[in-house]
Amino acid sequence: MITDIPNLVEKINENLTDQIRIWGFVKTIRSFHAKTLCDSRIYEYLLPTYVFIPQEREQIRQLSVKQNGDQTQFIEAPLATAEEMIEKRKYRISSKILDLVRQGFKAYEGTHNYHNFTLGRSPMEKSCNRFIMSFEVGDPKILRHACDSKTNDPNVIEESEWLSLKVHGQSFMLHQIRKMVALIVMMIRSETPLTLINKTFGPTKINIPKAPALGLLLDQPVFRSYNKKAIDNGKELIEFDIYKDKIDAFKEKFIYSKIYAEEFSEYTFQNWLNSIDYHTERDYGYLNHEGEIPECAIVNSNEKFNKDADDENQEDNDSE
C-alpha cells in the first residue's frame, strides 16, 4: 500500500465537495476493472413501516372504478394529507408482522426465475435466473423529524418508524429490487399468504408494480473473487468494512437524511400506496387470502404493464 495514505486521502477530500468522499485506496493488478471484476452487489432499501398497515380491500376495489353508462372510468388516486400522515406515522410494526416481513424477503434467497420482477422479459429467458445470496431486514428504527413542511409549523416534531432492507445478489435486472419490495408490502397489507412468492417464479406472468425509487441505494460492490486472486498476487484486498464507521456517518448525513426528509415532506410512500389501492381485480387479483393467481390477473404475452423506462434510480442491469 502507498505510504502516508491518511494525509493523501485528506488532501484529496479537501478538493472535493462534501458529498463526495474518498476513504482509502489500494494498488490493484493492471487488468483491474471495477465493473467486470465486481462479482456481486449489496443494495439497501429504506422503508417506513406504516406501509404495512392493513388495507381495506373491498372498500378500495369499489372505489377503483365507476360505471358511466357503458363506459368504465378510472378514478384518480387521492394524494395523502398532512393530517392523514400524522396518524400513519404513529404506526409501529408488531413482532408478528415483522416476522412475516422477514420470512417474505427470505423467500427470495437462492436462484429463481425473476421474469415477473422486471420489464418485457419472457419466463423462458435464461437471463431471468438470478442468484440472491441474502435478503436481510434490520430492526425497526424510530426517527424524529422537525416540522412537516406541509403543515408549516416549526413547533411540530414528528416521529416515524423505518426498516432497512439489505439484499446481496450476483446481479439484478431493471426494477427487480423495487418490484420485490412492492410485492412483499402488498402481500403483507392484504394478508395474502407468502406461498404466492414461489408462484411468481413460475411461467405465469403477472403485473407487479414498482416500489418508490426514493428508498433504494447501492450499499456496496463486492470483489470476493478478485480478493482471492489478490492474495495469490501479493496485492491488498478491496475491503469497505474497515471504513464502516466513516461510511455509515456519511450515509446518515448525506443520503439517509435526504430520503427521510423527502418522505416527510412529499408523502412518497403513502401516495404510492394510494395508487396501488385504487386498482381493479384485473391489476392485482393475485392479492387474496388463498394465495392463488386467478385467471383475470394473468398477463398475456401481448400485454405490457409498467412501461416506466425513465427511472432515475435503476438497478444494475448486467445479464450475465
Side-chain angles (χ1 to χ4, degrees), residues 114-310:
Y114 287 95
H115 69 97
N116 272 315
F117 296 85
T118 188
L119 301 177
R121 304 295 284 273
S122 163
M124 304 305 293
E125 295 180 51
K126 291 184 179 179
S127 62
C128 291
N129 290 325
R130 300 295 168 113
F131 177 42
I132 302 296
M133 300 170 184
S134 65
F135 211 138
E136 302 294 335
V137 179
D139 292 331
K141 178 180 179 181
I142 303 294
L143 296 174
R144 304 183 80 241
H145 195 279
C147 185
D148 182 331
S149 63
K150 293 189 179 180
T151 63
N152 203 29
D153 184 350
N155 297 315
V156 172
I157 300 292
E158 286 196 65
E159 292 184 344
S160 66
E161 185 179 62
W162 290 71
L163 293 177
S164 170
L165 320 175
K166 287 197 176 182
V167 54
H168 185 188
Q170 282 185 335
S171 62
F172 298 91
M173 294 186 290
L174 182 64
H175 305 320
Q176 181 182 339
I177 295 174
R178 290 170 59 191
K179 284 174 174 278
M180 288 194 292
V181 171
L183 182 64
I184 299 300
V185 170
M186 294 165 66
M187 291 175 61
I188 297 297
R189 63 196 301 267
S190 63
E191 299 181 343
T192 297
L194 298 181
T195 51
L196 173 69
I197 298 172
N198 281 332
K199 296 174 184 177
T200 67
F201 303 141
T204 302
K205 197 76 175 175
I206 61 174
N207 175 33
I208 300 176
K210 305 188 301 290
L214 176 65
L216 180 65
L217 63 142
L218 174 63
D219 183 64
Q220 183 182 139
V222 180
F223 298 91
R224 188 170 296 167
S225 298
Y226 169 80
N227 282 342
K228 291 179 181 179
K229 294 180 181 179
I231 294 175
D232 295 337
N233 287 275
K235 302 293 184 181
E236 293 177 277
L237 306 182
I238 299 177
E239 297 179 294
F240 295 91
D241 287 345
I242 57 177
Y243 306 108
K244 185 178 185 304
D245 291 343
K246 293 182 178 180
I247 292 175
D248 286 348
F250 176 85
K251 288 195 295 185
E252 192 69 43
K253 182 177 180 179
F254 292 104
I255 301 177
Y256 296 164
S257 62
K258 302 299 182 184
I259 292 174
Y260 301 146
E262 182 170 335
E263 160 58 23
F264 267 95
S265 64
E266 300 299 327
Y267 315 151
T268 305
F269 284 91
Q270 185 57 49
N271 286 329
W272 171 68
L273 289 177
N274 288 352
S275 69
I276 294 299
D277 286 346
Y278 274 59
H279 68 270
T280 65
E281 186 82 16
R282 177 72 183 88
D283 298 317
Y284 312 125
Y286 52 82
L287 299 176
N288 55 68
H289 292 170
E290 293 73 42
E292 299 293 337
I293 302 176
E295 191 70 28
C296 68
I298 297 176
V299 179
N300 296 323
S301 59
N302 61 338
E303 292 182 281
K304 295 184 182 296
F305 287 89
N306 296 318
K307 292 186 63 178
D308 304 74
D310 53 334

